[in-house]
Amino acid sequence: MMEKVLFGRYVPADSLLHRMDPRSKLIIIFLYVCIVFLANNPWTYLILAAYTILMAGLSKIAPRFLIAGLKPVLWLVLFTLLLHLFFTKGGEPVVQLGSFAIYEEGIRQGIFISLRFLLLIVVTSLLTLTTTPIEITDGLESLLGPLKKVNFPVHELALMMSISLRFIPTLMQETDKIMKAQMARGVEYTSGPIKDRLKAIVPLLIPLFISSFKRAEELAIAMEARGYRGGVGRTKYRQLNWTFADTGMILLLAAVTLLLIVFRG
Amino acid sequence: MDISLQNIEYRYQADTPFERLALSDVSLDIPSGSYIAIIGHTGSGKSTVLQHLNALLKPTKGTVLIGSREIRAGRKEKNLKAVREKVGIVFQFPEHQLFEETVEKDICFGPMNFGVSETEAKRRASVAIEQVGLTKDILEKSPFDLSGGQMRRVAIAGVLAMEPQVIVLDEPTAGLDPRGRKEIMDLFYQLHQDKNLSTVLVTHSMEDAAAYADEIIIMHQGSVFEKGTPSEIFSAPQALIDMGLDVPEVVRFQLKLEQAFGRKMGKVCLTAEELTDVVASFLKGGNPS
Ligand SMILES: Nc1ncnc2c1ncn2[C@@H]1O[C@H](COP(=O)(O)OP(=O)(O)O)[C@@H](O)[C@H]1O
Ligand SMILES: [Mg+2]
């Protein structure tokens, strides 16, 4: 049930994207999220899409997996599309049904916004697909390092993040297991009236909460038992290592940004 | 109700980078009223097989017959609830599925999902709680105030209260103390005997398999490695030992004895009593019976 969700999981492979420094990947994602908003006409969306497809290619992750991974969020994208179709007004009405109309601007906005959504999801999934949670956390901790000077709890934040990321698959497995156990006791999650299906969430959530709290407590004890007492003076086993490829990829994104600025309407 | 798996294949997460072949070409029969033990290493596919028995998983190839219901790979299935009512599964660590405020409500949850009235469900709860060796005063408690062993029993009671025709047990005694283990195993055997309840038991304990099952199925890397009655299976104990599987202590003892004396005793014994007789006549120099 939960197993088709690709978002947030790491797929090991030997690709340029896998080998890159997590810091450069994080910087690229951050910039990408910003420059997505530069696109406002077909040309600029084409440039963005081309860049995104290039990135997907460099990740060596089979396209069909990426597409399968998008399926769960497709509903959200569709919803955005419909919202714009029905509620954005402007330009000529394309379809007129009594007092209800779909406008040119609605179609345009609908397509652009849902495309933007899709591109963002692809790029962020590429990050998690090619970078282990530990690498992401190390990268973040290193990038946010300067904030320690103003007493921002960088290490704690990074730790919280790595623990959450680490337990996503566990939580999924657990969800699957408890769902099955309750299905064996007659609960239906995939068919039947909506009211019953909503009610069926309780027998799923309560056991999940309980086991999560239990696990958190056990983890805290295990960490303390192994001498963990915060980030101060802690050395790193994994060293980050910025290479020529990282600089190159950032320059490539800079070039894309430039193109977007030139071509945007 | 008979259950039959016919040339089942199962792949987890098919069509993703994480695809994993868990079962290949598994065929087995669970005739009505039988007691079958499934044994194998961790990861050999035992739990995956079990989930096919009440259509929690649908095979990626092959056919599953559950009573008169046929579940075939690649076909959409509706109303599986009818199947699940007849085949109860006690999952590994079933205590994780408890969620209600009181033990009684939790036990009634299954039966009521299958349309049993509240009064009937409560009646079943009071029967089931005693079947699993607990007292009725526990019914009013919160399941989360109980000990681990008691929670396990409550969860089992929740499945028994569904009054299934087939009961499927995935390592039901894992993590229990020896006495609790024996009590639970005896309880299921009693039910099997009294109600002719078909039972499928996944276990790591060869002792349990030898003691209770009519048929033992040995799984290895997603396939059925061997199946037969306990005496058939243990007649060649060396093959099992080579596979890294345990054999009952009695069988191991007999094997050692035969090796020490350099000759066979003729018949494989599964209980200490049987072995005593065979060894006695063997030592007296007579031919084994
Ligand atoms: N939800 C799952 N997703 C992916 N692979 C799984 C899942 N559950 C089990 N597997 C894999 O399927 C194989 C068989 O597992 P399982 O049936 O649980 O074995 P057993 O119960 O004999 O220990 C194992 O290799 C296991 O890693
Ligand atoms: Mg198992």
Side-chain angles (χ1 to χ4, degrees), chain A residues 6-263:
Chain A
L6 212 56
F7 190 76
R9 293 174 72 172
Y10 174 70
V11 180
D14 185 27
S15 79
L16 180 65
L17 247 55
H18 282 83
R19 283 191 303 268
M20 276 169 66
D21 189 307
R23 283 172 299 185
S24 66
K25 286 193 259 191
L26 284 165
I27 292 172
I28 288 173
I29 294 281
F30 183 74
L31 292 178
Y32 186 93
V33 172
C34 299
I35 66 167
V36 155
F37 293 96
L38 285 176
N40 63 356
N41 61 14
W43 282 113
T44 40
Y45 271 103
L46 201 68
I47 294 170
L48 263 186
Y51 174 75
T52 310
I53 291 170
L54 174 72
M55 285 295 139
L58 287 177
S59 73
K60 289 199 185 158
I61 290 176
R64 68 188 171 105
F65 294 148
L66 269 176
I67 292 167
L70 282 178
K71 268 189 198 144
V73 284
L74 232 43
W75 288 110
L76 218 57
V77 173
L78 206 66
F79 181 70
T80 327
L81 182 67
L82 292 178
L83 213 63
H84 278 284
L85 274 187
F86 295 146
F87 295 111
T88 305
K89 302 199 163 38
E92 294 291 306
V94 181
V95 181
Q96 184 90 44
L97 284 171
S99 65
F100 169 82
I102 292 177
Y103 294 92
E104 252 178 13
E105 195 59 23
I107 297 181
R108 209 176 115 88
Q109 285 291 324
I111 292 177
F112 281 174
I113 306 281
S114 31
L115 193 61
R116 182 185 287 172
F117 212 14
L118 275 180
L119 290 176
L120 279 174
I121 292 165
V122 170
V123 167
T124 37
S125 339
L126 278 178
L127 172 72
T128 54
L129 285 168
T130 63
T131 324
T132 60
I134 290 285
E135 278 181 317
I136 294 180
T137 320
D138 283 351
L140 261 186
E141 192 172 354
S142 158
L143 284 176
L144 296 179
L147 288 180
K148 278 184 195 155
K149 294 245 164 41
V150 291
N151 281 335
F152 185 78
V154 174
H155 173 77
E156 286 70 18
L157 200 72
L159 181 74
M160 260 162 59
M161 227 189 81
S162 68
I163 291 177
S164 324
L165 286 171
R166 154 67 185 79
F167 281 105
I168 287 176
T170 315
L171 201 65
M172 296 257 184
Q173 271 173 16
E174 196 113 329
T175 309
D176 190 58
K177 199 193 120 168
I178 294 171
M179 237 170 156
K180 279 177 176 160
Q182 307 300 23
M183 279 161 81
R185 294 208 283 166
V187 176
E188 285 185 291
Y189 287 100
T190 49
S191 59
I194 296 287
K195 193 178 117 255
D196 288 359
R197 278 202 249 175
L198 282 178
K199 255 204 264 166
I201 294 182
V202 177
L204 178 62
L205 280 190
I206 291 178
L208 274 181
F209 269 111
I210 288 174
S211 68
S212 299
F213 282 128
K214 237 185 237 161
R215 204 183 346 264
E217 208 168 313
E218 279 164 12
L219 185 67
I221 291 172
M223 282 171 68
E224 244 170 69
R226 289 200 266 166
Y228 177 81
R229 51 170 68 78
V232 184
R234 208 172 147 80
T235 53
K236 285 251 177 256
Y237 172 65
R238 296 170 304 272
Q239 301 289 333
L240 299 175
N241 159 25
W242 188 284
T243 65
F244 186 65
D246 294 295
T247 315
M249 292 301 273
I250 288 196
L251 288 178
L252 176 66
L253 188 69
V256 170
T257 313
L258 223 60
L259 279 179
L260 288 179
I261 292 173
V262 170
F263 281 97

Side-chain angles (χ1 to χ4, degrees), chain B residues 158-227:
Chain B
V159 176
L160 293 181
M162 286 162 42
E163 300 193 344
Q165 295 175 21
V166 179
I167 193 154
V168 174
L169 313 164
D170 197 350
E171 303 188 28
T173 58
L176 292 184
D177 56 87
R179 183 160 144 237
R181 210 143 59 197
K182 181 153 174 19
E183 280 173 13
I184 299 262
M185 288 316 299
D186 285 344
L187 150 75
F188 286 121
Y189 193 60
Q190 202 61 44
L191 280 170
H192 167 71
Q193 298 255 298
D194 293 351
K195 303 201 172 158
N196 204 27
L197 185 66
S198 314
T199 308
V200 180
L201 167 75
V202 162
T203 178
H204 276 294
S205 159
M206 286 288 179
E207 315 280 341
D208 287 346
Y212 300 111
D214 312 325
E215 189 182 4
I216 296 180
I217 293 173
I218 296 182
M219 299 280 306
H220 186 59
Q221 295 181 351
S223 312
V224 174
F225 175 78
E226 204 183 345
K227 53 184 162 187

Side-chain angles (χ1 to χ4, degrees), chain B residues 79-128:
Chain B
N79 192 21
L80 292 168
K81 222 166 146 174
V83 169
R84 298 194 180 129
E85 185 178 6
K86 291 180 194 138
V87 185
I89 294 197
V90 176
F91 279 90
Q92 219 170 344
F93 302 109
E95 55 273 26
H96 294 166
Q97 74 196 30
L98 301 176
F99 73 97
E100 278 285 13
E101 295 155 61
T102 67
V103 168
E104 183 174 47
K105 279 190 187 171
D106 209 287
I107 299 178
C108 292
F109 180 69
M112 285 171 69
N113 279 332
F114 291 116
V116 169
S117 71
E118 194 174 341
T119 34
E120 168 65 6
K122 283 187 171 169
R123 186 195 64 78
R124 289 189 189 182
S126 60
V127 174

